[in-house]
Amino acid sequence: MSPAAPSLLDRLSLNQETVRQWSLPELADGCARAGVRGVGLWRAPVRQYGPAAAARLMRDAGLRVTSLCRGGFFTAVDPGERAAALDDNRAALDEAAALGTDTLVLVSGGLPPGSRDLRGARERVADALAELAPYAAERHVRLALEPLHPMYAADRCVVSTLAQALDLAERFPADRVGVVVDTYHLWWDDTVGAQIGRAGGTGGAAGSRIAAFQLADWVTPLPEGALLGRGQLGDGTVDLRWFRERVEAAGYRGPVEVEIFHPALWARDGAEVLAEIVRRFQEHVG
Amino acid sequence: MSPAAPSLLDRLSLNQETVRQWSLPELADGCARAGVRGVGLWRAPVRQYGPAAAARLMRDAGLRVTSLCRGGFFTAVDPGERAAALDDNRAALDEAAALGTDTLVLVSGGLPPGSRDLRGARERVADALAELAPYAAERHVRLALEPLHPMYAADRCVVSTLAQALDLAERFPADRVGVVVDTYHLWWDDTVGAQIGRAGGTGGAAGSRIAAFQLADWVTPLPEGALLGRGQLGDGTVDLRWFRERVEAAGYRGPVEVEIFHPALWARDGAEVLAEIVRRFQEHVG
């Protein structure tokens, strides 16, 4: 265990989709009992519970909301669909502000049906960021563009690498548009270390683009649809500690959020899953 | 249809895994009847039939063998496994020479069990290329390193981008080690156009690294295991014509090989599948 381990553990945040078997009250209670001090929340359960009530619940449990997942889906060409997507993102920003988080994670969206124009779709992402950035700034929420694994480029997210995410983010001030570094999506890329350095800027939190740091491991075989097969920390091929060291070398000292989507974790007792995550976090990240 | 279409059609090659329902004699006969002049072959059916007999079969049908799939799997750490892999690649080079093809496609291999060291695995690929290059040159066969989609980085191929493949290939003379440009694996990458230009070198076939150009379309959802879900030309999100124009701008005038793995194609009549491929090729590539 490195000497930094205790303070790192204080930065551990649990993304609620990791334990989707838990209701919001169970999540608040479970995290408090486990000594975990941050949670990443998702819009659907928050809206169902009510954003203000969810905010109170987390605050009363001593929890910080480290991010809200997710806005985005910016790539529609149809003006009506596009306007609806922007409205929905403004609602997401309102919800983020109500929860007291400064980070809205954005999944950019895939190609519209029949389209093969990745470049055009990426430009529409930039246009949407330009439209939303002032609204986000008024709410003290940063837009956090997440590059997703290239296997999602067609149907989920046309932003596939950290370099692409930074190319888009750098068109805006660093405190308005940042990026998400998620090990599951980026681990295969031999340029990711250099791009994390680029994201860190000249050092100091003010200039850094790293808005969130998320952990999951890569395990195979991929399930049908490739969506719900993320691995528990330590079960796969990702050098998680290397990533943690790289984002810290780039000046990042924010939350370290565990976000794993896997039916095998959802089928287990949530408290047992969280206890395992804390152990694995200390073993493979700290 | 562009004026170049007739000569492009002469360059069409059918990778035999696209119509794996066909035996080698059916493949030779089916291609000859359809006016297709090239075939990409796979080692297992060729060894079963006998390399010399397969070579004669293709020659008698007027077919050129445009590539042999595949060597590679270079990433083992264990010395015995490593020696076995190199021996197997020498056998593949002998088979390629017997078939009269100048191209052995290489799938580099994934991470050894328990390893998280992508960089080390990529170095072992370079070491294997160094060991095999003289043997390949004696047989007038070029080693064609194929970058596979990043979703295969853990279990199949640690070389995930054209840039990585070129970084490795450029350690060797261009006539000994080239790269494969496969649209299925590379379509999502916004740097691929520039990297195809890099692969073309200073112009002229002598300096070009492009050893093979393969086509398949990207369709979703991905099947379990992500291996057998390639799309028929035109069914997906890849701008195939853009790729063809880029490799031609880089000086490539070699075979254009269609390599689609999909159970839906294998369940159909092979001649019907091939006729559809020829139509789609003219519509989406020519």
Side-chain angles (χ1 to χ4, degrees):
Chain A
M1 221 46 38
S2 81
S7 73
L8 183 68
L9 197 54
D10 285 343
R11 289 163 52 205
L12 173 61
S13 171
L14 180 66
N15 186 287
Q16 78 171 121
E17 271 292 293
T18 309
V19 286
R20 67 181 298 173
Q21 63 271 51
W22 268 351
S23 66
L24 275 174
E26 288 169 335
L27 177 73
D29 184 57
C31 285
R33 285 175 190 271
V36 171
R37 308 182 50 179
V39 286
L41 299 182
W42 280 64
R43 291 185 69 199
V46 164
R47 276 179 299 179
Q48 198 169 19
Y49 197 83
R56 201 162 45 241
L57 184 68
M58 297 303 151
R59 201 167 47 236
D60 290 350
L63 293 166
R64 171 182 170 199
V65 180
T66 56
S67 71
L68 179 63
C69 295
R70 60 195 183 188
F73 298 94
F74 294 136
T75 49
V77 172
D78 175 79
E81 283 179 44
R82 188 159 177 76
L86 291 170
D87 282 346
D88 190 53
N89 276 277
R90 288 186 198 98
L93 287 163
D94 293 341
E95 291 155 22
L99 291 167
T101 181
D102 57 3
T103 304
L104 177 66
V105 174
L106 302 178
V107 171
S108 297
L111 288 169
S115 171
R116 301 185 176 101
D117 182 13
L118 279 171
R119 180 189 299 261
R122 289 173 184 144
E123 280 308 309
R124 290 194 295 283
V125 174
D127 293 345
L129 293 172
E131 289 223 38
L132 293 171
Y135 193 92
E138 284 168 19
R139 279 146 195 82
H140 308 288
V141 177
R142 183 148 72 151
L143 300 169
L145 199 60
E146 179 164 22
L148 258 57
H149 193 284
M151 68 186 175
Y152 303 122
D155 53 359
R156 194 159 291 267
C157 185
V158 294
V159 178
S160 304
T161 62
L162 190 53
Q164 288 175 358
L166 288 167
D167 287 345
L168 288 163
E170 287 172 357
R171 302 187 193 186
F172 306 92
D175 61 346
R176 295 204 172 181
V177 181
V179 297
V180 180
V181 175
D182 184 316
T183 60
Y184 187 79
H185 297 301
L186 304 177
W187 75 280
W188 58 270
D189 183 355
D190 61 343
T191 73
V192 73
Q195 294 298 325
I196 288 171
R198 172 185 167 195
T202 52
S208 174
R209 297 278 169 184
I210 305 176
F213 176 43
Q214 297 184 323
L215 303 178
D217 215 331
W218 179 272
V219 292
T220 55
L222 294 170
E224 187 182 355
L227 206 57
L228 306 179
R230 300 193 191 186
Q232 171 65 285
L233 311 182
D235 279 353
T237 52
V238 182
D239 190 339
L240 299 166
R241 182 170 286 112
W242 180 91
F243 267 94
R244 194 264 295 166
E245 290 171 350
R246 288 289 84 65
V247 297
E248 289 188 355
Y252 182 77
R253 294 289 183 280
V256 183
E257 204 175 294
V258 176
E259 186 188 52
I260 305 169
F261 309 151
H262 202 296
L265 295 188
W266 300 334
R268 291 167 56 191
D269 174 68
E272 180 194 305
V273 170
L274 181 51
E276 184 178 83
I277 285 171
V278 172
R279 284 197 307 275
R280 296 294 188 91
F281 185 82
Q282 292 175 298
E283 186 181 348
H284 295 282
V285 185
Chain B
M1 222 44 41
S2 81
S7 73
L8 183 68
L9 197 56
D10 286 344
R11 288 162 53 203
L12 173 61
S13 171
L14 179 66
N15 187 287
Q16 77 171 120
E17 272 292 295
T18 309
V19 286
R20 69 182 296 173
Q21 62 272 49
W22 268 350
S23 66
L24 275 174
E26 287 169 334
L27 177 73
D29 184 56
C31 286
R33 284 174 190 272
V36 171
R37 307 184 47 180
V39 286
L41 299 182
W42 280 65
R43 290 186 69 200
V46 164
R47 277 179 298 181
Q48 198 169 19
Y49 197 83
R56 200 162 43 241
L57 184 67
M58 297 303 151
R59 201 168 47 236
D60 290 350
L63 292 166
R64 172 181 169 197
V65 180
T66 57
S67 72
L68 179 63
C69 296
R70 61 201 183 186
F73 299 94
F74 294 136
T75 50
V77 172
D78 176 79
E81 283 180 45
R82 187 159 178 74
L86 290 170
D87 282 346
D88 189 51
N89 276 276
R90 288 185 198 99
L93 287 163
D94 293 341
E95 291 155 22
L99 291 167
T101 181
D102 57 3
T103 305
L104 177 66
V105 173
L106 302 178
V107 171
S108 297
L111 288 169
S115 171
R116 300 185 177 100
D117 182 12
L118 278 172
R119 181 187 300 260
R122 289 172 184 144
E123 280 309 309
R124 291 195 294 284
V125 175
D127 294 346
L129 292 174
E131 290 224 37
L132 292 172
Y135 194 91
E138 285 168 17
R139 278 146 195 81
H140 308 289
V141 176
R142 185 148 73 151
L143 300 168
L145 199 60
E146 179 163 22
L148 259 56
H149 194 283
M151 68 186 176
Y152 303 121
D155 54 0
R156 194 160 292 267
C157 184
V158 294
V159 178
S160 303
T161 62
L162 190 53
Q164 288 175 358
L166 288 167
D167 287 346
L168 289 163
E170 287 172 356
R171 303 188 194 186
F172 305 93
D175 60 346
R176 293 203 173 182
V177 182
V179 296
V180 180
V181 175
D182 185 315
T183 61
Y184 187 78
H185 297 301
L186 304 176
W187 75 280
W188 58 272
D189 183 354
D190 62 342
T191 73
V192 74
Q195 294 298 326
I196 288 171
R198 173 184 168 196
T202 52
S208 174
R209 296 278 170 184
I210 304 175
F213 176 44
Q214 297 184 324
L215 303 179
D217 215 331
W218 180 273
V219 292
T220 55
L222 294 169
E224 186 181 354
L227 206 56
L228 305 180
R230 301 194 190 184
Q232 171 64 287
L233 311 182
D235 279 354
T237 52
V238 182
D239 190 339
L240 298 166
R241 182 170 287 110
W242 180 90
F243 266 95
R244 194 264 295 167
E245 290 169 352
R246 290 287 84 67
V247 298
E248 290 189 354
Y252 183 77
R253 295 288 183 281
V256 183
E257 204 175 296
V258 176
E259 186 188 52
I260 305 168
F261 309 152
H262 203 296
L265 295 189
W266 300 333
R268 291 166 58 192
D269 173 68
E272 181 193 304
V273 170
L274 181 51
E276 183 178 83
I277 285 171
V278 171
R279 283 196 307 275
R280 296 294 188 91
F281 185 82
Q282 291 176 298
E283 186 180 350
H284 295 282
V285 186

